[in-house]
Amino acid sequence: MTMDERGGSAAASRGWHVLFQFPNQLHVYRLKQLFDSGNSHVFPEGFANEAVELGPIHGQLGPCLLMFTWVGLGPEQLLDWLKRSCYDWVVLRIYWISASPVRQPASAPASATADGAAQASGAVQAQAAQLPYATYTGPRALLEAVRAAAQAAGGPEGLGGVKLQVYPRSVEAATAVLLSDALPLELDGPSHVLFVIQWPSEPVAAATAAVAACEADHVRLAKTHDKQQKASQHMAEELEGLAAALRAAGQVPLSEAEMAAAEAAAAAGEGKEAAGGAAEAAEEEEAVETQEAACAQGGDEAAAAAEEAACGQGEGEGGEANGDGAQRKVAKKVHQNQRMKKQKKVPSGDGPVPVLEAVAAIADPTERWRVATARAGLERRRQAEREQRRAAVVERCAAERAALDAALAAAQEVAQYSYGLAPADWQYQYGSDRDKKMPGQLCRAASKLREALICCTGSAELRPGLAAVDVGAAPGGWTQMLAAAGARLVVSIDPAQMDPGVAALPNVTHLQCRCDEAVASGRLAGALEAAGLSEVDYVVCDVNAHPGQTVGWLEPVLPLLAPGGSLILTLKTFGRGKDKESYGAELAERLGPGFEPGRLVWLLSNTLCERTYVAVKRAAVGV
């Protein structure tokens, strides 16, 4: 293969589209903004024809994919650019997708067009008129296309092992099973990598979200059931122990026959009519659903209150036979304890302790034994009834999941797929320990300045001899960045203390005062004069203040910025959202004609509420 001007192969740089996968859809939006603005400092000439933000997009959620079409860099050059542009910390995966064999951009070599046309089928030709890449409808069509590509590349024996990289990762295992007969799949030491993309679509996204929601709901129901069963088990054991202790101490003046009859009645729940029992079951089911909702909201006290409400309902129907409405009194006592606990903010603990306290508070030992026995029987019945309902719920959940899985499979059967088969060294290896914070940096804020310098100058390194003023510098993240980037002098202005390691750097001078004081007292001019300077090349600022207030702090030092020098500041917008252009217009008006119209950039290192403003000082007013 012949080599193009960048050192990559002509075929590789002219016949591929590249998809970057990010952790957040807003990263996609921001990088596309930089590309669409024609930022030649970030993207070299001929990087790609177009940047496409893939959907469906729901706020920050989405496929999180950005596609660059007709990429003009080979794999080595692309990975080198990724590191130099400091975006490797946010790119999770890279997918190389083969371009359509019959549709080439105007700059594509004629040989590449001819070779591609020879491989195209009629269906692919018709499709290529609409898309720059070939798509295949359904997994079976993908299988046949990959099998043909494998045969064209020398067959399974000639490939020497293929590693699979699939988007989305949730279908990677199923895709591996699908393609296992067509390719010699290999995780370690492969010769090639197969990139497969299931193109995002609303039906697949909706079906996938429904399956995930169903699974989460089933897990929640199972956890709620287990929690209720453990609570009932604990309650029953404690109450049975209390009743047994009263009985063993001889404090219950009832005959063995009377106690056995009372225990049998409590276990069987006597006193319920047939219709009344059905009504109580419906009421208890409603109470259980109320408790499940309370558990889902994370309110342990609310869940306990709902549990006790259910207990009160059960006792009101089934405990009347145990004398004088004692269980109604217990329920009332429980609710009073719950209210007192909520007011005092006492932790509820692992079990329904207030019920045990209420039972223990009954003065009459016989009545206490009756209530404890009846309540223990109620809890045992509830355990058995919950298990019956549990079986029905499991069956219902299985049916729901089966229906949703079928809907997802149906959506995937008509989903669009594309692929690319490339050498193994084309795969991008993302390090899980990668971070915005660079090695040796004091804080993550330095990554904002580093990215801003790249966007403005194409490099995070400064030319020798340049000077900078960092306003609001403490603890010194930006100062450290400028000093390490090659600045001759960095004057840090902040009334607060600087990090000792940063303050001790030989090319750093810290003025521990406000910006206006540093200028009025001559300390700033003196620091520059001591280094043989009268002007600075950069004025930077990253403070947590309103943009208008920030500009006010900077105004005293702006006259010392040399013509052609850069002003870089972070704007804290104090509100999320994409539309922040008004801040840039206000700043440009505030700075006046002494500065070129600035740029408001949403760097990938900025937070949701931040923007970075960059402006260059004019050589002379009115020029």
Side-chain angles (χ1 to χ4, degrees):
M1 294 183 180
T2 61
M3 304 298 288
D4 66 5
E5 296 177 351
R6 297 182 176 85
S9 67
S13 63
R14 292 291 193 268
W16 295 87
H17 311 298
V18 177
L19 285 85
F20 290 99
Q21 183 180 359
F22 296 87
N24 191 303
Q25 190 71 32
L26 286 179
H27 292 137
V28 177
Y29 172 81
R30 289 182 243 182
L31 193 59
K32 175 176 165 55
Q33 271 194 327
L34 286 174
F35 182 87
D36 292 343
S37 67
N39 192 316
S40 58
H41 294 304
V42 175
F43 299 95
E45 184 178 358
F47 180 85
N49 278 20
E50 185 182 11
V52 181
E53 182 181 10
L54 299 180
I57 302 166
H58 305 285
Q60 299 180 47
L61 304 177
C64 304
L65 292 177
L66 180 64
M67 179 177 67
F68 291 99
T69 63
W70 304 110
V71 173
L73 300 180
E76 292 183 5
Q77 290 73 32
L78 185 72
L79 296 180
D80 179 65
W81 166 83
L82 195 62
K83 293 178 181 178
R84 286 188 292 103
S85 65
C86 76
Y87 294 136
D88 58 336
W89 67 269
V90 75
V91 175
L92 299 179
R93 275 187 164 193
I94 294 178
Y95 300 85
W96 293 82
I97 300 300
S98 301
S100 171
V102 297
R103 179 180 178 182
Q104 297 283 350
S107 59
S111 59
T113 305
D115 293 343
Q119 302 173 12
S121 65
V124 173
Q125 289 179 13
Q127 193 175 62
Q130 305 296 328
L131 298 172
Y133 46 82
T135 61
Y136 305 89
T137 303
R140 296 179 185 83
L142 172 67
L143 173 62
E144 295 304 320
V146 170
R147 180 178 284 122
Q151 292 298 327
E157 297 79 10
L159 286 175
V162 178
K163 186 174 182 179
L164 193 61
Q165 182 169 305
V166 182
Y167 178 88
R169 298 187 75 166
S170 58
V171 301
E172 196 164 76
T175 306
V177 173
L178 174 72
L179 302 178
S180 59
D181 293 336
L183 293 171
L185 298 181
E186 176 67 41
L187 291 177
D188 301 321
S191 64
H192 290 73
V193 57
L194 177 68
F195 301 95
V196 176
I197 290 288
Q198 183 189 93
W199 295 104
S201 65
E202 283 285 2
V204 173
T208 302
V211 169
C214 178
E215 180 67 22
D217 186 55
H218 295 173
V219 169
R220 180 185 62 81
L221 287 174
K223 288 183 178 179
T224 302
H225 170 82
D226 293 341
K227 183 177 181 179
Q228 291 172 342
Q229 291 296 72
K230 289 179 180 178
S232 289
Q233 178 74 18
H234 171 68
M235 175 75 75
E237 290 175 352
E238 291 291 331
L239 291 170
E240 288 170 350
L242 176 61
L246 291 170
R247 186 172 183 174
Q251 299 182 23
V252 184
L254 297 176
S255 65
E256 290 295 329
E258 290 175 326
M259 286 190 286
E263 290 172 350
E270 287 184 3
K272 295 181 182 179
E273 298 289 337
E280 179 181 298
E283 291 174 355
E284 186 170 343
E285 180 70 27
E286 182 180 355
V288 168
E289 291 177 357
T290 302
Q291 183 179 1
E292 290 175 356
C295 293
Q297 294 174 357
D300 290 338
E301 293 184 0
E307 170 75 12
E308 298 309 324
C311 294
Q313 290 175 0
E315 290 167 359
E317 292 287 342
E320 293 283 344
N322 294 310
D324 299 331
Q327 294 188 28
R328 289 183 180 273
K329 297 178 183 179
V330 171
K332 183 176 180 181
K333 181 67 174 177
V334 167
H335 294 314
Q336 290 175 348
N337 288 348
Q338 287 288 349
R339 286 195 297 270
M340 294 174 61
K341 179 176 292 186
K342 186 174 182 181
Q343 292 172 357
K344 296 179 181 179
K345 299 187 182 300
V346 179
S348 59
D350 295 332
V353 178
V355 171
L356 302 176
E357 293 176 348
V359 173
I362 298 176
D364 185 353
T366 302
E367 190 62 28
R368 191 188 315 159
W369 178 87
R370 289 182 181 277
V371 173
T373 301
R375 180 58 188 259
L378 172 64
E379 295 299 334
R380 294 300 186 187
R381 292 197 308 276
R382 298 175 97 194
Q383 284 185 280
E385 291 167 359
R386 284 198 194 103
E387 287 302 324
Q388 294 178 356
R389 292 199 301 271
R390 170 72 169 173
V393 169
V394 168
E395 184 178 353
R396 173 174 58 82
C397 289
E400 289 178 358
R401 181 59 187 269
L404 292 174
D405 286 340
L408 177 59
Q412 290 174 337
E413 281 296 324
V414 295
Q416 300 293 313
Y417 294 83
S418 294
Y419 74 92
L421 184 62
D425 56 4
W426 287 33
Q427 186 177 22
Y428 166 72
Q429 301 293 335
Y430 173 79
S432 58
D433 58 344
R434 210 164 295 165
D435 203 300
K436 285 194 295 185
K437 183 176 177 181
M438 302 302 164
Q441 284 186 350
L442 180 63
C443 60
R444 293 187 179 185
S447 62
K448 290 184 283 187
L449 180 59
R450 182 171 185 265
E451 187 180 350
L453 289 173
I454 292 173
C455 289
C456 296
T457 66
S459 173
E461 300 298 321
L462 302 181
R463 297 193 313 274
L466 299 185
V469 171
D470 184 4
V471 178
W478 279 28
T479 295
Q480 181 190 41
M481 171 67 200
L482 291 167
R488 177 180 177 180
L489 173 68
V490 183
V491 181
S492 304
I493 304 176
D494 199 308
Q497 293 284 346
M498 294 283 287
D499 179 83
V502 176
L505 294 173
N507 54 345
V508 171
T509 298
H510 177 212
L511 304 181
Q512 194 169 358
C513 60
R514 297 198 310 268
C515 194
D516 55 346
E517 294 174 354
V519 174
S521 65
R523 295 176 62 186
L524 176 56
L528 295 176
E529 185 178 352
L533 300 168
S534 60
E535 298 176 317
V536 296
D537 304 281
Y538 288 93
V539 173
V540 301
C541 182
D542 180 30
V543 295
N544 190 22
H546 190 275
Q549 188 178 18
T550 302
V551 175
W553 290 342
L554 292 173
E555 284 178 344
V557 78
L558 291 181
L560 294 176
L561 184 62
S566 297
L567 169 66
I568 303 175
L569 64 151
T570 302
L571 302 183
K572 312 290 184 174
T573 61
F574 300 99
R576 300 185 179 187
K578 297 179 180 180
D579 185 15
K580 303 293 181 183
E581 296 302 321
S582 60
Y583 285 94
E586 292 173 6
L587 274 175
E589 183 178 357
R590 182 80 176 268
L591 292 173
F595 282 83
E596 299 283 351
R599 289 183 295 166
L600 192 65
V601 185
W602 195 2
L603 302 176
L604 272 72
S605 299
N606 288 141
T607 67
L608 297 179
C609 301
E610 291 180 343
R611 300 294 186 273
T612 295
Y613 185 79
V614 181
V616 177
K617 192 172 184 180
R618 293 183 188 271
V621 176
V623 176

